[in-house]
Amino acid sequence: GAGVSQSPSNKVTEKGKDVELRCDPISGHTALYWYRQSLGQGLEFLIYFQGNSAPDKSGLPSDRFSAERTGGSVSTLTIQRTQQEDSAVYLCASTSTSGGSYEQYFGPGTRLTVT
Amino acid sequence: DAKTTQPTSMDCAEGRAANLPCNHSTISGNEYVYWYRQIHSQGPQYIIHGLKNNETNEMASLIITEDRKSSTLILPHATLRDTAVYYCIVRVSNTDKLIFGTGTRLQVFP
C-alpha cells in the first residue's frame, strides 16, 4: 500500500518568505509527527498530532513554526519569515497506535534550502 | 525522558555480525527500546523494538540486559546495504513520541 508521502521533495526559498510543507500519512494512522534534520545531524522532534488530542508542540523551535492537521489526515508545516538556519530536511512520520507497536513510518522528506 | 548513548561510528566487514551497543541507564520500567536506521538520503526505517525480553525479526536481533540499562542490536550477516546511521531510542512513556539522538554510523566494508 501507499506509504507516507511529502511534498514538495525540494524547496528553495528566499530568506523572509513563508513556506508550507505537506505530509500525507498512511491512511488510518492516527498519529503524525514532524521532525527536522540538519545536515549531518540526528532528527529533531518538532510536533506530534494524536487523534483529536491537542498537539504536542514542545519541539517547535520558534513561533515562526506552526503546523496543523486537517480532518485527522493531511498535515501542513508552515514556516514564516524563513531564516537560513531553517535549511534542513523536514521529515514526516505516521503511526498506528492500535496493536501497541508504535512503529513510525517515515516519508522521504522535504529538503528546504533558504537562500 | 530517558536518554541514550551510542558510539559515533563503527565498521564491520561484510558477512560478519554487526553488534551495535546502546546505553540507556535512566530507562524507566515501562519504556521501550526502539531501533531505527537511516540510509543516506532516505527517511528512517524501523528495525525492531523490545521491553525486557530479547527480540528477533527478519532484520535483526535485540539483546537487552537484565537491568535494562543497555542493549545491543545485532545484524547477523552485515551486507553493504546495511551501511547506515542506526538510532537507539527510548520511547517516552505514555506517549508515542520518539526522541532521536545522533546515532551510530555503521560502515560495512567489502
Side-chain angles (χ1 to χ4, degrees), chain B residues 65-77:
Chain B
T65 58
E66 190 170 343
D67 64 7
R68 302 206 329 118
K69 293 186 176 183
S70 65
S71 61
T72 301
L73 179 74
I74 300 172
L75 308 178
H77 306 287

Side-chain angles (χ1 to χ4, degrees), chain A residues 3-41:
Chain A
V4 177
S5 61
Q6 293 185 243
S7 60
S9 56
N10 281 285
K11 176 70 176 179
V12 181
T13 190
E14 292 180 354
K15 178 182 173 181
K17 296 289 179 90
D18 298 351
V19 294
E20 285 190 352
L21 312 179
R22 176 187 170 103
C23 172
D24 283 86
I26 292 173
S27 178
H29 279 190
T30 56
L32 186 147
Y33 311 75
W34 283 97
Y35 296 87
R36 175 170 74 173
Q37 188 170 33
S38 301
L39 187 63
Q41 302 297 310

Side-chain angles (χ1 to χ4, degrees), chain B residues 22 24 27 31-35 49-55 61-73:
Chain B
C22 180
H24 32 78
I27 193 170
E31 290 180 320
Y32 286 75
V33 179
Y34 279 72
W35 283 83
H49 76 281
L51 182 61
K52 53 185 177 181
N53 297 323
N54 297 337
E55 302 287 344
S61 294
L62 174 61
I63 308 298
I64 303 174
T65 58
E66 190 170 343
D67 64 7
R68 302 206 329 118
K69 293 186 176 183
S70 65
S71 61
T72 301
L73 179 74

Side-chain angles (χ1 to χ4, degrees), chain A residues 21-77:
Chain A
L21 312 179
R22 176 187 170 103
C23 172
D24 283 86
I26 292 173
S27 178
H29 279 190
T30 56
L32 186 147
Y33 311 75
W34 283 97
Y35 296 87
R36 175 170 74 173
Q37 188 170 33
S38 301
L39 187 63
Q41 302 297 310
L43 277 74
E44 175 189 5
F45 166 78
L46 296 177
I47 188 169
Y48 156 58
F49 297 89
Q50 168 58 354
N52 296 320
S53 303
D56 178 349
K57 304 179 182 180
S58 60
L60 294 178
S62 77
D63 59 8
R64 297 186 295 104
F65 287 72
S66 63
E68 63 177 19
R69 188 179 184 193
T70 54
S73 180
V74 172
S75 177
T76 302
L77 177 70

